Amino acid sequence: MIARTTARIRGWGRDLMDWMEERTGIVSLTEKLLYEPTPARGRWLYTLGSATLFLITLQFLTGILLLFYYVPTTDNAWDSIHYIMTQAYFGRLIRGMHFWSANLLLFVIGLHMVRTFLSGSYKAPREMNWVVGVFLILIVTIMAFSGYALRWDQEGFWAWEVGAMISSYTPLIGSWVITTLLGGDTAGPATLSRVFALHVWLLPAVLAPLIGVHLYLLRKHGEFGATFEYSERLAALRKRRQMEETFGSVEEDGQVADAGDHSQEG
Amino acid sequence: MPEELQKDPLTRRQFLWMGTLGTFTGVVLTVPSAVFVLDPAIKDVLLERSDVPAEWKEVGSVFEIPASEAVEHLVEFTQKQTYDAGEPAVNGTGAKVETMTNAVLLSWRDGKLPSVLSTRDEGPLPKTQIKELERDLNALSNHCAHLGCPVRWSSETQDILCPCHGGIYDINGDHTGGPPAHGLWHYVSRIREDGTILVKHEFYVQQKGQIGPGVKTKPYVV
Ligand code: HEM
Ligand code: FES
């Protein structure tokens, strides 16, 4: 009886998946997205990018939740956060996650960058992934900085003011940069509106598609040093050994030595 | 290679039209947005306007500033930004006047009490004495000339200190140590007959030892 029921439910499940697959291609897409060869060497170091992705997703989710209470005005910003911390159920948890995940994110994104640098993953054909990554870390840094100012408490206010003053030392256009950041020639209500627009709308809107490009490029070239890359290189190496055995030493610039090995370039 | 990829060849005329229309569309899409965002920069930098109207504000009296000491006074300036209309709340419109609080450090040049003050301790002051006092008065912004942290007077060491990166200034606001590139900003100030000191939200920087207004610049922020 139980066996028959489970078999039938399983059958329905399969029917549903087939139905969906036929109309959306969801199953094959999921398979394609999930199964990606990664290098056996390095192991945990290759999860740093995914850890970054996890944390930035957490930022998006908890950030959206905070917006249910946060008020971006000089009169009420601090009070609204005080309300989150003292009155709203789980307010401390949600805000705490947003805060700690932001700090951890900066740390982990740095480690991820170090990993891709030390493993030489920025080399051809993955240069553009590095370039996109540089923009990502820049945006994430400005996100962290602007989020700090949104609190509009003493710390956040002075941090933003010092940051704005730093920007005023930009050659030639310094006064343009600082007045754009402040929304005037003094810090006030316009400043907070601008910081809010940056932190909540502009930067995430730029960040999200860039992460998409980052992941697209990753999958296009495959994880650096993944098994297939090694197998290609090993095949090339073996072929070269064979040639050497047959013909004696092969010239450096000979066709044979070149086959499939990009790791020496750049 | 690119020619092969091109399925329908473009004529020269079509190409130029596309370029013209493309440029036009691009301008229509980007220029208004960019100018919208840069509005405050255009008004402040190009048109040289300020968020703070050029009003004189009182900050204490010349008779209250001791020798060898810089005293701090708070001053409230009107600030016009975004939703504050800058008009007092009249006719129930609820238009709100936003203000901001600045700190002014008042001291005498080199900490020496002007001779005028050794003989009298109330107004009215004659024109010549006002001129003399105005020359000797330092009305300094507490906004550090490095990155804008609030500086304060330290009577033990007889100088003005910045908590952020160790900027040091003497009693005249001249830079004596640390990262700041120049001395503290001076408020544009004047003295009334009754000895009241008035400041405007306008600033200048002096060379070391210079007397009287130097180069007018903006400290921004506070
Ligand atoms: C929001 C920020 C970022 C996210 C979400 C992110 C995510 C990822 C993920 C999931 C991977 C694949 C897994 C891995 O290699 O760990 C990856 C690979 C990569 N990332 Fe990032 N990353 C970010 C920032 C950066 C930065 C700042 C750099 C360097 C400037 C960078 C450079 C790279 C490169 C070169 C690869 C290819 C690695 C390879 O093929 O071995 N990424 N990224
Ligand atoms: S802000 Fe005062 S020394 Fe840097």
Side-chain angles (χ1 to χ4, degrees), chain A:
Chain A
M1 176 62 188
I2 291 173
R4 226 189 312 140
T5 319
T6 44
R8 186 174 299 163
I9 290 174
R10 228 181 261 139
W12 286 342
R14 213 174 304 129
D15 286 350
L16 183 67
M17 289 311 254
D18 285 349
W19 192 90
M20 282 299 276
E21 168 65 11
E22 208 170 303
R23 266 140 271 250
T24 61
I26 186 84
V27 179
S28 44
L29 182 70
T30 311
E31 261 169 23
K32 190 166 159 23
L33 290 182
L34 284 182
Y35 298 101
E36 170 76 11
T38 46
R41 216 169 47 131
R43 293 162 199 272
W44 283 102
L45 293 179
Y46 285 78
T47 62
L48 288 168
S50 306
T52 314
L53 187 61
F54 171 77
L55 291 171
I56 194 83
T57 311
L58 206 59
Q59 288 306 92
F60 274 94
L61 295 178
T62 51
I64 289 171
L65 290 178
L66 289 175
L67 280 179
F68 278 75
Y69 294 95
Y70 180 74
V71 181
T73 64
T74 45
D75 292 350
N76 297 317
W78 192 89
D79 307 281
S80 66
I81 294 174
H82 188 67
Y83 182 88
I84 293 173
M85 293 300 278
T86 55
Q87 308 291 317
Y89 289 129
F90 290 117
R92 292 183 81 88
L93 178 73
I94 303 296
R95 176 164 181 242
M97 281 168 75
H98 199 72
F99 176 81
W100 286 108
S101 163
N103 282 276
L104 199 59
L105 175 61
L106 286 175
F107 183 63
V108 171
I109 200 176
L111 288 182
H112 172 58
M113 191 166 175
V114 169
R115 192 292 277 166
T116 50
F117 177 76
L118 290 182
S119 62
S121 306
Y122 54 84
K123 291 180 186 173
R126 295 182 180 79
E127 297 98 322
M128 282 314 291
N129 223 12
W130 176 269
V131 171
V132 171
V134 168
F135 280 102
L136 287 177
I137 202 169
L138 268 179
I139 295 173
V140 165
T141 310
I142 308 175
M143 288 284 287
F145 210 56
S146 52
Y148 199 22
L150 283 183
R151 290 152 55 169
W152 213 248
D153 59 359
Q154 288 292 320
E155 273 182 342
F157 177 88
W158 288 106
W160 185 257
E161 118 127 52
V162 165
M165 283 297 289
I166 291 174
S167 77
S168 76
Y169 287 92
T170 316
L172 304 177
I173 54 164
S175 48
W176 284 81
V177 181
I178 188 169
T179 44
T180 304
L181 284 178
L182 296 177
D185 61 351
T186 53
T191 314
L192 185 54
S193 297
R194 265 157 200 262
V195 174
F196 183 72
L198 281 178
H199 186 82
V200 174
W201 288 108
L202 183 64
L203 295 178
V206 178
L207 190 64
L210 271 186
I211 293 176
V213 173
H214 196 69
L215 296 180
Y216 165 76
L217 287 177
L218 168 80
R219 299 306 290 261
K220 180 174 164 63
H221 299 299
E223 187 76 62
F224 171 76
T227 30
F228 63 88
E229 196 156 2
Y230 277 126
S231 43
E232 269 173 22
R233 280 208 247 161
L234 282 176
L237 198 70
R238 255 183 237 119
K239 199 164 158 199
R240 182 173 157 170
R241 290 254 169 78
Q242 240 171 20
M243 298 294 273
E244 277 176 351
E245 271 165 28
T246 328
F247 303 111
S249 81
V250 179
E251 299 288 322
E252 264 307 314
D253 56 347
Q255 278 178 313
V256 189
D258 236 73
D261 185 354
H262 293 289
S263 67
Q264 305 301 316
E265 297 169 7

Side-chain angles (χ1 to χ4, degrees), chain B residues 190-222:
Chain B
R190 68 183 174 90
I191 296 168
R192 251 189 344 224
E193 278 141 58
D194 63 357
T196 310
I197 299 164
L198 299 158
V199 294
K200 239 198 270 192
H201 196 263
E202 281 172 15
F203 306 85
Y204 58 87
V205 180
Q206 284 179 339
Q207 296 301 316
K208 213 170 233 172
Q210 183 190 348
I211 298 174
V215 192
K216 260 202 185 174
T217 57
K218 281 185 186 181
Y220 296 105
V221 195
V222 288

Side-chain angles (χ1 to χ4, degrees), chain B residues 179-190:
Chain B
H182 52 73
L184 290 172
W185 273 276
H186 291 246
Y187 280 89
V188 170
S189 62
R190 68 183 174 90

Side-chain angles (χ1 to χ4, degrees), chain B residues 144 146-149 162 164-167 179-180:
Chain B
C144 183
H146 180 222
L147 295 174
C149 288
C162 177
C164 287
H165 320 100

Side-chain angles (χ1 to χ4, degrees), chain B residues 97-119:
Chain B
V97 185
E98 202 67 35
T99 59
M100 60 175 196
T101 310
N102 281 192
V104 189
L105 294 173
L106 297 171
S107 66
W108 295 118
R109 175 157 299 280
D110 302 326
K112 284 198 215 104
L113 207 64
S115 50
V116 182
L117 296 179
S118 53
T119 52

